[in-house]
């Protein structure tokens, strides 16, 4: 059984008299250890799909299981638990809490899990270590660069040791150099065996990931674009991580 | 989610908006402080009333008083009014076994009848002159400090002896607090309306609890700095229902009933009839639980001896106590209403600020939900923030109430010193907590129902 299974997922918005099919029948399996990129034109439904996968939003119809759990039948409390403990979500706009320190931001999922303060501190430092930011633990998010903030967000996504990480255009708000560093982080995580899905506009980023999915008009395109397959990436991900 | 953590987050949130939070707390501060101050005032009143009640002789005391306006259906009998007479006293003694210490009284009001008391060239105006039996001592809770009370023989022989309140000594022989030496005028002869009377006894100085305390304090201060010998006499200038009882007792003169009847016949408004009229008959109920039965007994006896003419009335301290209770209850009610209004206004303030805070923090709430916060977590967080505002406001209110009560005491001294009780403070603080929780409900509900993705898309 796949880690995530989507069957005929639809998401419909009603705006005035208009009906918008943001997702129009999506079937998708994600296996343990997959590193998948989702591409597609703007407005095609990538974010919508990610939100449903990340249990932040509910589909209008269709079924979804995550780690063997039927998401459709889950109570709000169970969904909150899944979000906190099985899923790590990285947003395009970082979404850190400006009033909390870096470490406190990273600890947040552990607080709601009910971990002791000592365990929280230890695991937050480990997660910050993974993104090479352990020396910034006491800083405020506003004192960090965009790339560093995104790495804090990744640390927050990692801190609960989730089954799967979703990232919606994690580099969309960063310059290409900084984006590269973020991608390196993801590649490193993939090599450690984590399951990652990321949304991107950039075909060159998509070219890095072993699996690629293209979405058009709320549907998964039957064939991944030929131009993407086998394409050489301009990224050379063997540099030591920037600190 | 951990409670202390939520507390911590709440504290931080409030600290981040110190000024706003303080303004929000004003209503609660006002509510709590007025609640505590009101209850302190009521408590002080109650204490004062209880003191006065004891000073008047307690609940067991019953007074039968002469009353010349008859009930409407007996108006035509006005010229047949018998008045309270000694025979009523004897009738009660034999016919009302449930009461004891039946004591007749002839009373003169100093200001109505101009009682003149003189000693050499000094003059005093007593508030009351009583002709009565020695039993009055127990009935009115009097204590003779120097000398003795007049006794039955004094009365039988209609001797010219008197027992005086301490203020009369102060007026006639000098106030020891002013002259520095205490004169005990036992054996001295004073003149009451020109008639010579020998002082056989003097009552103790009757004081309210507050006056006692002040006096002790003054004594202590005088000991510490004997040079600065200015002794303030606050007690006498003060007013209030309980203080009145004490001052009345200090300004009274007691003489034997028979002496009164013989020497002050005309002055007392007594005519030449064989049996002079009494102003009242005082007595004590043997058992307070049988008060109603005892009153009925008295009523029966007097009905017979007065041929059914109701030219008398009862006065029990219970009537007075009931009246006082009603006054206190009304006062307390109005206090509670004021405090409740302030607390409700404070609650609305908190609700308002929490609603604003929630709309400001939609994104934060979305993020918290995205990383695993449940609906309950968010609800509890907002409630706790609201509760903290209310509790801090409550503590400030308690501090303000202490200052308030202190300044009330300082600016308007009365016998009924307001008393802040621990229960009142706890109760008021509890009220503020309740207001905080209730005021937080709607904002907390609103926050907890936010959908994570809507919250994250919101700007
Ligand atoms: N809350 C909403 N109400 C109405 N329509 C919505 C809502 N959210 C998304 N949509 C619509 O759903 C469609 C898919 O949106 P989505 O955000 O998933 O696109 P996307 O692929 O992520 O685009 P982009 O690459 O620009 O981020 C769009 O047409 C959008 O207008
Ligand atoms: Mg998008």
């Amino acid at each position: 059984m796949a880690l995530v299974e989507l069957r005929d997922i639809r998401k419909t918005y009603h705006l005035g008299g208009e009906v918008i099919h943001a997702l129009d029948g999506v079937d998708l399996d994600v296996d343990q250890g997959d590193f998948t990129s989702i591409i597609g034109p703007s407005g095609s439904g990538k974010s919508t799909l990610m939100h449903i996968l990340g249990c932040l939003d509910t589909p209008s119809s269709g079924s979804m299981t995550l780690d063997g759990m039927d998401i459709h039948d889950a109570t709000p409390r169970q969904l909150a638990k899944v979000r906190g403990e099985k899923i790590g979500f990285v947003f395009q706009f970082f979404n850190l809490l400006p009033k909390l320190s870096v470490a406190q931001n990273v600890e947040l999922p552990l607080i709601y899990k009910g971990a002791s303060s000592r365990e929280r501190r230890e695991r937050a430092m480990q997660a910050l270590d993974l993104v090479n930011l352990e020396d910034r633990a006491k800083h405020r998010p506003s004192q960090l660069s965009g790339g560093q903030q995104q790495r804090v967000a990744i640390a927050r996504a990692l801190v609960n040791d989730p089954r799967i990480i979703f990232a919606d255009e994690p580099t969309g708000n960063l310059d290409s150099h900084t984006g590269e560093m973020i991608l390196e982080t993801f590649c490193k995580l993939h090599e450690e065996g984590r399951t990652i899905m990321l949304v991107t506009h950039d075909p060159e980023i998509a070219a890095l990931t072993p699996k690629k999915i293209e979405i058009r008009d709320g549907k998964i395109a039957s064939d991944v674009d030929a131009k993407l397959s086998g394409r050489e990436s301009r990224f050379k991900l063997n540099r030591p991580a920037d600190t | 989610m951990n409670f202390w953590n939520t507390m911590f987050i709440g504290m931080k949130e409030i600290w981040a908006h110190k000024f706003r939070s303080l303004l929000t707390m004003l209503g609660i501060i006002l509510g709590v402080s007025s609640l505590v101050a009101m209850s302190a005032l009521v408590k002080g009143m109650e204490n004062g009333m209880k003191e006065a009640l004891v000073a008047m002789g307690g609940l067991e005391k019953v007074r039968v008083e002469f009353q010349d306006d008859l009930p409407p259906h007996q108006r035509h009998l006005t010229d047949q009014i018998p008045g309270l007479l000694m025979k009523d006293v004897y009738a009660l003694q034999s016919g009302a076994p449930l009461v004891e210490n039946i004591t007749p009284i002839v009373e003169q009001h100093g200001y109505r009848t101009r009682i003149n008391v003189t000693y050499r060239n000094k003059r005093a105006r007593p508030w009351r002159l009583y002709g009565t039996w020695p039993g009055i001592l127990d009935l009115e809770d009097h204590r003779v400090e120097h000398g003795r009370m007049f006794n039955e023989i004094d009365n039988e022989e209609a001797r010219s002896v008197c027992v005086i309140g301490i203020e009369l000594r102060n007026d006639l022989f000098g106030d020891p607090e002013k002259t520095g030496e205490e004169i005990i005028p036992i054996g001295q002869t004073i003149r009451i309306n020109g008639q010579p009377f020998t002082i056989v006894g003097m009552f103790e100085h009757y004081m309210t609890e507050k006056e006692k305390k002040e006096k002790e304090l003054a004594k202590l201060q005088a000991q510490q700095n004997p040079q600065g010998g200015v002794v303030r006499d606050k007690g006498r200038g003060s007013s209030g229902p309980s203080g009145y009882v004490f001052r009345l007792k200090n300004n009274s003169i007691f003489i034997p009933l028979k002496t009164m009847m013989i020497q002050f016949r005309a002055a007392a408004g007594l005519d030449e009839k064989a049996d002079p009229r009494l102003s009242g008959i005082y007595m004590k109920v043997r058992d307070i639980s049988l008060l109603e039965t005892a009153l009925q007994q008295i009523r029966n006896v007097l009905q017979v001896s007065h041929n059914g003419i109701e030219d008398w009335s009862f006065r029990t301290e219970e009537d007075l106590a009931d009246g006082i209770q009603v006054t206190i209850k009304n006062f307390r009610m109005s206090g509670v209403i004021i405090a409740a209004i302030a607390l409700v206004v404070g609650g609305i303030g908190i609700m308002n600020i929490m609603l604003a805070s929630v709309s400001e923090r939609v994104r934060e709430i979305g993020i918290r939900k995205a990383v695993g916060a449940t609906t309950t977590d968010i609800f509890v967080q907002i409630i706790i923030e609201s509760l903290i505002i209310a509790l801090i406001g409550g503590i400030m209110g308690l501090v303000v109430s202490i200052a308030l009560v202190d300044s009330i005491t300082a600016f308007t001294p009365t016998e009924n010193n307001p008393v802040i009780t621990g229960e009142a403070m706890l109760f008021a603080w509890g009220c503020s907590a309740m207001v905080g929780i209730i005021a937080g409900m709607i904002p907390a509900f609103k926050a907890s129902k936010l959908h994570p993705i809507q919250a994250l898309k919101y700007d």
Side-chain angles (χ1 to χ4, degrees):
Chain A
M1 194 186 198
L3 181 60
V4 181
E5 287 181 14
L6 298 190
R7 293 289 172 266
D8 199 26
I9 290 288
R10 288 167 199 279
K11 181 76 183 177
T12 316
Y13 292 107
H14 300 269
L15 276 184
E18 234 178 307
V19 179
I20 298 162
H21 298 284
L23 291 178
D24 198 8
V26 172
D27 295 295
L28 179 66
D29 286 339
V30 183
D31 288 314
Q32 179 83 47
D34 275 359
F35 187 13
T36 316
S37 57
I38 301 176
I39 54 169
S42 184
S44 56
K46 305 183 294 295
S47 292
T48 308
L49 177 62
M50 288 300 266
H51 293 152
I52 287 171
L53 284 165
C55 296
L56 296 169
D57 207 352
T58 46
S60 308
S61 72
S63 69
M64 169 178 172
T65 59
L66 193 150
D67 201 17
M69 183 178 172
D70 192 342
I71 297 302
H72 190 74
D73 293 336
T75 62
R77 176 168 285 275
Q78 285 169 325
L79 279 182
K81 201 168 151 69
V82 168
R83 284 198 292 270
E85 296 173 21
K86 297 201 168 171
I87 294 169
F89 210 104
V90 179
F91 301 89
Q92 180 177 354
F93 297 103
F94 323 141
N95 276 337
L96 300 174
L97 293 182
K99 285 179 208 154
L100 302 185
S101 72
V102 163
Q104 284 169 329
N105 264 287
V106 176
E107 280 180 25
L108 213 52
L110 294 167
I111 286 180
Y112 291 110
K113 194 185 168 192
S116 72
S117 66
R118 192 186 159 157
E119 184 190 346
R120 291 205 306 264
R121 214 168 321 128
E122 278 170 11
R123 291 180 67 171
M125 288 316 288
Q126 281 170 11
L128 281 171
D129 198 27
L130 281 176
V131 296
N132 286 326
L133 276 176
E134 67 278 16
D135 53 338
R136 298 304 192 106
K138 294 231 158 58
H139 291 226
R140 287 295 167 98
S142 56
Q143 295 166 321
L144 302 183
S145 73
Q148 286 168 328
Q149 287 186 49
Q150 192 61 299
R151 273 145 65 199
V152 173
I154 294 172
R156 181 178 66 190
L158 286 170
V159 78
N160 252 338
D161 196 17
R163 302 302 313 271
I164 185 163
I165 295 165
F166 298 106
D168 190 357
E169 296 192 51
T171 61
N173 222 27
L174 303 170
D175 62 62
S176 64
H177 172 73
T178 322
E180 218 171 297
M181 276 159 38
I182 298 297
L183 281 173
E184 267 170 26
T185 310
F186 279 117
C187 285
K188 200 172 86 188
L189 292 171
H190 168 58
E191 277 155 26
E192 288 169 8
R194 292 185 184 271
T195 314
I196 301 165
M197 285 187 89
L198 63 83
V199 167
T200 178
H201 272 125
D202 189 339
E204 305 211 14
I205 293 175
L208 274 174
T209 63
K211 286 196 176 179
K212 301 155 195 82
I213 292 171
E214 187 182 1
I215 293 196
R216 279 180 199 279
D217 299 329
K219 291 190 177 95
I220 293 184
S222 47
D223 253 313
V224 171
D225 245 3
K227 63 184 175 193
L228 278 175
S229 41
R231 179 170 175 156
E232 267 303 304
S233 175
R234 68 182 152 88
F235 297 120
K236 299 167 202 69
L237 295 171
N238 46 5
R239 281 187 272 170
D242 192 303
T243 44
Chain B
M1 173 155 169
N2 182 299
F3 174 79
W4 290 113
N5 230 299
T6 320
M7 279 298 262
F8 186 71
I9 294 171
M11 288 294 234
K12 258 181 115 161
E13 196 56 44
I14 289 159
W15 188 244
H17 305 279
K18 291 176 275 293
F19 189 62
R20 187 172 87 175
S21 305
L22 186 70
L23 285 182
T24 311
M25 287 169 194
L26 275 181
I28 297 291
I29 294 175
L30 217 68
V32 166
S33 57
S34 57
L35 199 59
V36 173
M38 282 296 174
S39 86
L41 286 174
V42 168
K43 189 80 193 163
M45 276 166 78
E46 273 177 353
N47 286 351
M49 295 303 171
K50 271 185 203 143
E51 235 185 348
L53 211 60
V54 170
M56 284 184 293
L59 281 174
E60 302 89 3
K61 201 171 102 175
V62 177
R63 283 186 282 175
V64 175
E65 287 181 343
F66 174 67
Q67 168 186 295
D68 52 7
D69 55 330
L70 297 178
H73 63 278
Q74 293 190 345
R75 285 279 154 80
H76 60 285
L77 297 170
T78 302
D79 55 337
Q80 297 175 37
I81 283 179
L84 286 175
L85 305 170
M86 282 309 289
K87 72 170 180 137
D88 294 324
V89 176
Y90 304 130
L92 284 169
Q93 276 174 344
S94 58
L98 283 175
V99 291
E100 59 187 357
N101 201 359
I102 299 160
T103 304
I105 280 207
V106 174
E107 177 183 340
Q108 281 192 50
H109 289 247
Y111 290 112
R112 251 186 254 162
T113 48
R114 296 191 151 267
I115 308 165
N116 252 319
V117 180
T118 53
Y119 175 74
R120 293 187 185 152
N121 58 348
K122 292 268 183 61
R123 227 157 68 108
R125 278 283 171 78
W127 294 14
R128 293 280 197 286
L129 171 65
Y130 298 101
T132 184
W133 289 352
I136 196 70
L137 218 56
D138 177 43
L139 287 167
E140 299 252 88
D141 196 37
H142 272 293
R143 284 176 295 277
V144 177
E145 195 178 13
H146 300 286
R148 60 174 178 91
M149 186 62 181
F150 53 77
N151 53 33
E152 250 119 74
I153 303 165
D154 292 322
N155 185 49
E156 275 314 309
E157 299 188 353
R159 287 180 185 160
S160 291
V161 291
C162 65
V163 179
I164 61 170
I166 200 142
E167 287 292 342
L168 291 153
R169 189 277 312 266
N170 291 349
D171 290 345
L172 296 173
F173 299 92
D175 185 344
E177 284 184 6
K178 284 173 190 144
T179 60
E181 61 167 330
E182 169 137 36
I183 295 169
I184 315 291
I186 307 298
Q188 302 287 345
T189 302
I190 56 172
R191 286 178 183 274
I192 302 175
N193 285 355
Q195 316 259 20
F197 276 81
T198 307
I199 301 173
V200 293
M202 184 169 81
F203 297 125
E204 69 168 53
H205 189 184
Y206 301 111
M207 281 182 287
T208 61
E209 286 301 317
K210 189 187 171 193
E211 286 169 335
K212 272 183 204 158
K213 269 183 219 144
E214 273 171 2
K215 200 167 173 188
E216 244 149 61
L217 206 75
K219 217 191 258 171
L220 218 74
Q221 279 169 350
Q223 273 171 8
Q224 279 162 0
N225 51 334
Q227 289 93 341
V230 188
V231 182
R232 277 176 302 163
D233 187 9
K234 263 189 200 163
R236 236 181 307 169
S238 56
S239 61
S242 67
Y244 174 77
V245 176
F246 293 91
R247 287 197 307 286
L248 177 64
K249 286 168 79 171
N250 287 332
N251 281 290
S252 297
I253 299 187
F254 286 77
I255 59 176
L257 181 69
K258 239 181 185 164
T259 317
M260 179 78 148
M261 284 174 169
I262 291 166
Q263 304 220 26
F264 297 109
R265 245 186 144 75
L270 306 171
D271 51 28
E272 294 301 319
K273 270 189 204 162
D275 204 354
R277 287 184 176 181
L278 305 171
S279 346
I281 304 171
Y282 291 11
M283 63 209 85
K284 223 166 199 164
V285 178
R286 284 183 201 275
D287 181 355
I288 186 68
S289 60
L290 293 176
L291 182 67
E292 278 312 310
T293 330
L295 291 183
Q296 193 52 50
Q297 238 172 32
I298 299 166
R299 205 172 284 128
N300 291 344
V301 170
L302 292 179
Q303 284 276 324
V304 173
S305 69
H306 284 232
N307 301 323
I309 298 176
E310 290 178 28
D311 61 343
W312 49 272
S313 65
F314 281 131
R315 282 262 292 274
T316 60
E317 305 308 344
E318 209 162 57
D319 296 343
L320 185 78
D322 286 350
I324 291 165
Q325 288 301 324
V326 170
T327 314
I328 288 176
K329 207 171 131 196
N330 291 343
F331 191 74
R332 179 182 285 150
M333 267 316 285
S334 50
V336 164
I337 288 169
I338 292 170
I341 290 171
L343 282 174
V344 166
V345 170
I348 291 170
I350 291 184
M351 180 151 80
N352 193 19
I353 222 70
M354 289 315 293
L355 281 172
S357 165
V358 165
S359 358
E360 270 170 23
R361 289 153 68 195
V362 166
R363 196 175 189 82
E364 177 198 323
I365 292 161
I367 294 170
R368 288 183 184 277
K369 282 203 146 184
V371 300
T374 61
T375 306
T376 318
D377 287 332
I378 301 296
F379 188 85
V380 169
Q381 181 185 338
I382 302 297
I383 286 280
I384 283 188
E385 278 178 32
S386 161
L387 180 65
I388 291 173
I389 292 184
L391 286 181
I392 294 177
I395 290 175
M396 289 181 173
L398 292 182
V399 173
V400 169
S401 74
I402 292 170
L404 200 68
V405 167
D406 275 355
S407 58
I408 288 175
T409 318
F411 288 119
T412 58
T414 63
E415 281 80 8
N416 312 331
N417 249 349
V419 183
I420 296 183
T421 59
E423 296 119 69
M425 290 180 94
L426 218 64
F427 176 76
W429 205 44
C431 282
S432 75
M434 222 168 68
V435 167
I437 290 172
I438 293 171
M441 289 286 190
I442 292 174
F445 188 74
K446 215 181 133 191
S448 69
K449 283 290 163 236
L450 279 173
H451 219 275
I453 207 64
Q454 278 159 3
L456 287 169
K457 278 184 177 175
Y458 175 98
D459 15 61

